[in-house]
């Protein structure tokens, strides 16, 4: 089956530093990108466990033509994945010959390490606070369902709902089939770190979006009210765009730009599955978009999440441990692009609020870019103070940098991330103050039960 061979090739490419998992998956031209990405990520996550089981079972000694990366993918699928429910092609008979021995070695490993579940083997491999221990965040897509119905569906599947979290410790304590409501975002459910929902019917139907909490903050902090015109400047792969559409309730317009045709095509599929109808996609360089174009005269909100080093991405930390900071030359090139994009965005005449975000932990791509853009704006824009209780603030590199937000596995139990919210100091006369003001953002209460009985969420067909 082509899936396993392509997944093995991606794993080999990651180990030889040919690229990241995401980059190599997209470059593979495999038709089902999400299926391939999920299989590679899960195989990589269990890599050390799989190496131990394969070695103990003597699989590569017995099957000399079986290459190590392909063996790892196949053993993951046999023991921890779908067990070849999709067929398995010519590899299934080969693995079936060794199935009993492989299962026995996995059971022996769990006994040796004093754990009872496969997921617990990962906790032995990794220390607390590491990237692999970040919880699984699941955003409920409010264009298709609501938090109440999603929670009820999981409860009917045997999951135990723990209510709304009150602290990060509640998230750290999640185990087994327990889940909880995030203390800040009312549409964000939180599951234990090793929970795999890629095959869940609600995810496959677009009712759920697998999105890290830090990645949910930009749209939440931009907070465009329904009816607004919004630009998503560097939009692919589209999770933030779908979040913006949910906040808009599909009322208004999102102008989404990206230069990568392949990523844009995948994004169109994602948005269609999520029920997004207010978005116009354009294969265009945002820097080439004219702020004076009459199509964008009503744009008051811009989300700018430009290309970056990805140094805070959880997948990169897991697949390339110890890689460290990108080289200075690459950082300078990225920061130059990011600075041009941010300064360009601030030139849109009706702009009132902008969120700049990266999945980088490097000062050059974050505080330095924001500081330069603020200086060039000559006082027209300022940093908005947001989420005062957020524990990880911007680096103290210039006055007001504490209004920026940072995130990391250690401090916020999320991927590494940076966010700055810029707002116009003086409102143009053509725009009313009521239209320009963004709503105050506070942690939301847990969803209350409705008095009238609702129709329960059903698995989509």
């Amino acid at each position: 089956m082509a899936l396993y061979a392509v997944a093995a090739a991606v794993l080999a490419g990651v180990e030889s530093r040919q690229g990241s998992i995401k980059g190599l998956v997209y470059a593979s031209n495999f038709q089902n990108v999400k299926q391939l990405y999920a299989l590679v990520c899960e195989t990589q996550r269990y890599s050390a466990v799989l190496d131990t089981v394969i070695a103990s079972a003597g699989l590569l000694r017995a099957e000399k033509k079986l290459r190590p990366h392909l063996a790892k993918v196949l053993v993951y699928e046999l023991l921890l994945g779908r067990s070849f429910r999709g067929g398995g092609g010519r590899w299934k008979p080969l693995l079936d010959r060794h199935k009993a021995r492989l299962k026995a070695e996995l059971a022996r490993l769990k006994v040796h390490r004093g754990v009872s579940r496969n997921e617990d083997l990962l906790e032995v491999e990794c220390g607390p606070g590491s990237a692999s221990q970040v919880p699984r965040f699941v955003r409920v897509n409010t264009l298709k369902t609501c938090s109440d119905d999603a929670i009820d569906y999981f409860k009917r599947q045997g999951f135990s709902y723990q209510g709304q979290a009150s602290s990060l410790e509640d998230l750290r304590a999640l185990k087994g089939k327990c889940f909880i409501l995030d203390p800040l975002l009312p549409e964000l459910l939180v599951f234990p770190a090793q929970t795999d929902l890629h095959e869940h019917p609600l995810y496959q139907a677009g009712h759920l979006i697998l999105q890290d909490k830090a990645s949910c903050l930009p749209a939440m902090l931009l907070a465009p009210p329904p009816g607004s015109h919004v630009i998503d400047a560097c939009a692919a792969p589209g999770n933030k765009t779908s979040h913006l559409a949910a906040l808009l309730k599909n009322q208004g317009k999102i102008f989404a730009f990206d230069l990568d045709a392949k990523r844009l095509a995948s994004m169109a599929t994602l948005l269609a599955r999520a029920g997004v109808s207010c978005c116009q996609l354009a294969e265009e360089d945002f820097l080439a978009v004219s702020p004076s174009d009459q199509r964008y005269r009503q744009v008051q909100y811009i989300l700018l999440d430009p290309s970056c080093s990805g140094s805070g991405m959880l997948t990169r930390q897991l697949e390339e441990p110890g890689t460290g900071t990108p080289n200075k030359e690459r950082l300078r090139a990225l920061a130059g692009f990011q600075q041009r994009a941010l300064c360009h965005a601030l030139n849109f005449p009706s702009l009132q609020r902008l969120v700049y975000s990266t999945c980088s932990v490097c000062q050059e791509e974050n505080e330095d870019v924001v500081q330069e853009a603020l200086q060039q704006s000559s006082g027209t824009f300022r940093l908005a103070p947001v989420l005062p209780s957020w524990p990880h603030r911007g680096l103290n590199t210039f006055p007001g940098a504490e209004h920026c937000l940072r995130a990391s596995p250690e401090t916020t139990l999320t991927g590494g991330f940076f966010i700055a919210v810029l707002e116009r100091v003086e409102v143009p006369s053509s725009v009313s103050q009521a239209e320009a003001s963004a709503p105050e953002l506070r942690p939301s209460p847990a969803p209350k039960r409705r008095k009238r009985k609702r129709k329960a969420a059903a698995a989509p067909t």
Side-chain angles (χ1 to χ4, degrees):
M1 191 177 183
L3 170 65
Y4 303 125
V6 177
V10 171
L11 281 176
V14 169
E15 289 191 12
S16 61
R17 301 294 174 86
Q18 295 176 22
S20 67
I21 288 181
K22 184 172 290 186
L24 293 173
V25 164
Y26 276 102
S28 72
N29 292 320
F30 188 76
Q31 186 175 8
N32 193 332
V33 170
K34 289 189 177 297
Q35 182 187 25
L36 175 61
Y37 183 74
L39 176 59
V40 174
C41 284
E42 289 303 300
T43 303
Q44 183 69 10
R45 199 155 62 97
Y46 280 94
S47 180
V49 173
L50 294 168
D51 283 339
T52 302
V53 170
I54 290 170
S56 300
L59 179 63
L60 297 178
R61 291 195 303 273
E63 302 290 346
K64 297 188 184 300
K65 292 184 179 181
L66 187 60
R67 308 311 301 165
H69 294 101
L70 180 56
K72 193 178 293 188
V73 172
L74 294 172
V75 173
Y76 168 80
E77 187 76 332
L78 175 70
L79 299 181
L80 307 169
R82 302 178 62 187
S83 193
F84 301 113
R85 289 198 299 271
R90 65 190 181 96
W91 300 115
K92 187 177 185 298
L94 184 149
L95 266 292
D96 281 344
R97 292 200 296 268
H98 303 275
K99 184 175 181 178
R101 181 66 185 273
L102 288 165
K103 284 191 170 184
E105 292 301 335
L106 178 63
R108 185 176 290 113
L109 182 63
K110 286 192 281 192
V111 170
H112 177 71
R113 295 186 178 177
V115 300
S116 58
R117 301 179 308 141
N118 296 330
E119 294 87 347
D120 295 334
L121 290 169
L122 294 173
E123 297 182 11
V124 175
E125 295 289 336
C126 306
S130 68
S132 66
Q133 295 306 298
V134 170
R136 166 67 75 188
F137 292 100
V138 179
R139 178 168 60 83
V140 176
N141 178 14
T142 55
L143 292 177
K144 286 198 163 184
T145 187
C146 64
S147 295
D148 277 345
D149 286 354
I151 289 168
D152 285 345
Y153 188 88
F154 278 109
K155 287 165 67 176
R156 292 199 305 273
Q157 286 193 313
F159 286 84
S160 175
Y161 178 52
Q162 306 294 298
Q164 186 175 30
S166 59
S167 68
L168 285 180
E169 292 308 313
D170 292 340
L171 274 57
R172 284 195 180 95
L174 286 172
K175 299 284 185 183
K177 297 192 74 172
C178 294
F179 72 110
I180 205 164
L181 187 71
D182 185 77
L184 182 63
L185 284 83
E187 71 279 8
L188 197 64
L189 306 178
V190 192
F191 292 79
Q194 289 78 36
T195 307
D196 183 9
L197 297 172
H198 287 92
E199 302 295 331
H200 196 280
L202 293 185
Y203 166 70
Q204 294 185 333
H207 292 211
L208 303 177
I209 310 292
L210 306 184
Q211 186 174 1
D212 185 65
K213 178 177 178 176
S215 178
C216 294
L217 293 178
M220 185 198 84
L221 291 171
L222 189 62
S228 302
H229 286 202
V230 183
I231 282 178
D232 191 348
C234 305
N239 282 341
K240 298 181 186 69
T241 316
S242 69
H243 195 181
L244 287 170
L247 294 171
L248 290 173
K249 300 179 181 178
N250 264 340
Q251 300 169 25
K253 286 185 180 178
I254 300 173
F255 302 97
F257 302 97
D258 204 278
L259 264 178
D260 191 316
K262 191 177 295 185
R263 282 162 56 86
L264 210 59
S266 296
M267 177 177 171
T269 302
L270 182 151
L271 295 182
R273 189 175 64 204
V276 174
S277 61
C278 64
C279 184
Q280 297 181 14
L281 295 179
E283 185 185 333
E284 191 173 354
D285 183 355
F286 174 63
L287 290 173
V289 176
S290 173
S292 60
D293 191 317
Q294 287 300 296
R295 287 175 293 180
Y296 314 121
R297 67 185 183 278
Q298 296 182 57
V299 170
Q300 293 181 278
Y301 301 88
I302 293 180
L303 194 158
L304 175 60
D305 188 80
S307 298
C308 70
S309 65
S311 54
M313 292 175 62
L314 290 174
T315 52
R316 185 156 299 177
Q317 294 178 38
L318 289 170
E319 66 197 44
E320 302 177 33
T323 300
T325 305
N327 68 68
K328 293 294 182 181
E329 183 178 347
R330 181 163 184 255
L331 278 180
R332 278 195 299 271
L334 287 167
F337 164 72
Q338 293 153 355
Q339 184 182 316
R340 291 193 300 275
L342 181 52
C343 291
H344 181 67
L346 295 179
N347 284 326
F348 281 75
S350 296
L351 178 67
Q352 299 302 316
R353 192 172 178 92
L354 177 146
V355 169
Y356 173 79
S357 63
T358 75
C359 53
S360 169
V361 296
C362 302
Q363 176 186 324
E364 293 90 338
E365 301 178 89
N366 297 330
E367 290 86 357
D368 291 356
V369 169
V370 171
Q371 181 182 16
E372 180 63 26
L374 288 172
Q375 289 174 350
Q376 291 193 28
S377 78
S378 303
T380 306
F381 287 87
R382 66 183 178 190
L383 278 171
V386 293
L387 300 184
S389 61
W390 188 259
H392 196 169
R393 316 302 298 189
L395 302 178
N396 188 26
T397 58
F398 65 93
E402 70 277 3
H403 295 320
C404 301
L405 306 180
R406 278 179 167 263
S408 71
E410 295 78 18
T411 60
T412 57
L413 281 182
T414 66
F417 218 80
F418 173 86
I419 303 167
V421 181
L422 284 72
E423 60 184 8
R424 190 179 290 275
V425 175
E426 294 184 2
V427 179
S429 57
S430 60
V431 182
S432 72
Q433 180 67 41
E435 290 174 322
S437 60
E440 184 179 0
L441 294 160
R442 295 177 179 171
S444 300
K448 296 180 179 179
R449 309 305 300 175
R450 294 167 177 76
K451 292 182 180 179
R452 189 172 60 186
K453 186 176 181 181
R454 291 175 50 88
K455 183 179 179 181
T461 58

